[in-house]
Amino acid sequence: MLTIGVDIGGTKVAAGVVDDQGKIVEHTLRPTAADRPDLVADTVADVVRELSAGRRIEAVGVGAAGFVDETRSVVRFAPNLAWREEPLQKKISDMVGLPVVIENDANAMAWGETRFGAGRGQSHVVCVTLGTGIGGGLVFDGALFRGRWGMGAELGHMQVQPGGRPCGCGNIGCWEQYASGQALVKEARELAGTEPERASVLLGLAGGRIDGEEITEAARRGDEVALRAFASFADWLGQGMADLAAVLDPGCFIVGGGVSRAADLFIDRARESFAARLTGRGHRPLADIRLAELGAAAGVVGAADLARQR
Ligand SMILES: [Zn+2]
C-alpha cells in the first residue's frame, strides 16, 4: 500500500512515494516561488501526478510550514509562504483526485521520526527541531498531539527568559531566541564583539560576517568564543527540555534540524543541563535525548504515513 508524502519548504517542494514501512520508493524535488502561494498547490499537484504515474496511490499527505487548522485542510497562516486561510486540502484534492491531508511540517517530521526513525517503539515523544528557530512536534500515547485548533507544539515560543531577547512572534524571551541556529549566531556575534581577543579563530574564519558554519568550525578548532556560544546554546536547550518534561513527561526527546549536524559540540552538555534542571530529578527515570535519524526525509515519510491514517 503506497502513499505520497509532500514537504513544502520555503524554497522547494520535496515529495516521495512511501510504503507502509516508511521506505521512500521514489522521490522528486521542485523549486517553489514563495511569493506565489497559488502556484504552490499547482506544484504539489504536479509532483503527485508525476509520482503516481503507473502506481496505485491511496492518499497524499502534505506537510507545510504554518498553522494548519484542526481539520487538517486549511493553512490559516504561513509566515514564509504568504498564505492566509488557504484551502490547500481542497485545492490539491480537486487537482489530483485523491484523498489529501494537510499537516504542519514539524508535526509531519515528528511523526516520521517517531514511527520510523529515532523514536521507533516509543509512545511518548517530544521532537525538537533546531533550525533558524525551534520547531516542535509531540506524540502522546502513540498519536500526534495537535491541540484544540491544530496549533499546539510551538515549542520555540515558550518564554524562558522574562525581559529577554525580542522574538519575531512579537513576544520576548522565547526559547528559540536562546537555543536555535539564529540564537547561536547572535550569541557568538555578541561575545566576539565584546571580547574579540578570545575569538581570533572565529574572526579569522568569518572574515567580517559570523555565521553558523564558521562558529561550528571555530568551535572544533577550540575557539573560546565559539565554544562558549555552543555551551550557552546547550544549557538553554537542556533547560527548555527540562521544562517540557515537567509538563509532558516524555520517554524520549528527538533532537533534529540543521543545527543538530553539529550535535557533537552540544548534545552531551545539553543532556547534563537537562538532568540538572529536571523537576523531581533523582526520583524519576531520565528521558532519552536522541538525535534524529531520518534527516530531511522525515517530513516526507511522516506526511505520507499520516495520509495513511486519515
Ligand atoms: Zn517567540
Side-chain angles (χ1 to χ4, degrees):
M1 198 163 57
L2 297 171
T3 54
I4 290 176
V6 184
D7 187 5
I8 302 175
T11 57
K12 61 186 188 306
V13 168
V17 179
V18 182
D19 71 14
D20 56 7
Q21 302 302 306
K23 191 168 162 291
I24 297 180
V25 179
E26 190 183 332
H27 71 104
T28 187
L29 205 65
R30 298 279 169 85
T32 50
D35 54 334
R36 295 290 308 273
D38 46 324
L39 295 184
V40 175
D42 290 330
T43 306
V44 172
D46 240 26
V47 297
V48 169
R49 284 190 208 105
E50 178 193 322
L51 289 172
S52 42
R55 292 193 175 92
R56 249 196 83 211
I57 300 294
E58 194 199 347
V60 179
V62 179
F67 290 103
V68 178
D69 79 332
E70 71 276 18
T71 65
R72 301 200 285 164
S73 40
V74 176
V75 181
R76 292 202 184 283
F77 171 66
N80 301 320
L81 283 158
W83 277 331
R84 305 289 182 268
E85 300 296 327
E86 172 74 8
L88 198 58
Q89 188 265 344
K90 186 173 181 340
K91 270 192 186 171
I92 297 172
S93 181
D94 284 352
M95 282 191 271
V96 301
L98 288 167
V100 173
V101 299
I102 310 294
E103 192 65 65
N104 168 270
D105 62 341
N107 281 355
M109 287 172 70
W111 186 252
E113 279 291 346
T114 300
R115 286 271 290 149
F116 304 109
R120 269 186 303 265
Q122 293 278 331
S123 57
H124 295 75
V125 178
V126 175
C127 279
V128 180
T129 306
L130 305 171
T132 308
I134 298 180
L138 308 174
V139 174
F140 277 86
D141 279 331
L144 192 61
F145 176 85
R146 297 185 178 84
R148 166 63 181 85
W149 288 286
M151 313 224 169
E154 287 291 332
L155 310 183
H157 299 286
M158 296 190 301
Q159 193 188 44
V160 296
Q161 181 76 300
R165 292 174 179 158
C167 182
C169 74
N171 290 334
I172 47 175
C174 292
W175 191 27
E176 72 174 31
Q177 295 306 317
Y178 298 88
S180 65
Q182 192 185 46
L184 182 71
V185 170
K186 194 172 283 182
E187 181 78 16
R189 284 180 185 166
E190 279 176 18
L191 288 171
T194 52
E195 299 175 72
E197 68 281 3
R198 297 181 196 279
S200 54
V201 179
L202 178 58
L203 291 169
L205 282 167
R209 187 176 169 78
I210 296 173
D211 257 313
E213 278 179 34
E214 290 86 29
I215 301 167
T216 303
E217 181 57 30
R220 295 224 159 91
R221 295 192 200 174
D223 181 89
E224 196 184 327
V225 157
L227 287 169
R228 270 165 56 194
F230 266 109
S232 161
F233 173 93
D235 289 347
W236 280 111
L237 181 58
Q239 169 76 63
M241 289 193 292
D243 290 346
L244 288 164
V247 180
L248 301 168
D249 190 28
C252 98
F253 288 89
I254 300 176
V255 176
V259 185
S260 70
R261 286 197 293 271
D264 56 307
L265 291 167
F266 67 80
I267 199 72
D268 288 342
R269 185 166 174 137
R271 287 191 180 107
E272 285 165 22
S273 163
F274 170 73
R277 292 169 167 90
L278 184 63
T279 309
R281 56 190 171 276
H283 305 284
R284 63 189 288 178
L286 271 184
D288 269 356
I289 297 174
R290 303 178 183 172
L291 294 176
E293 292 176 4
L294 302 182
V300 167
V301 169
D305 198 61
L306 286 163
R308 196 168 278 118
Q309 312 191 355
R310 70 196 182 280

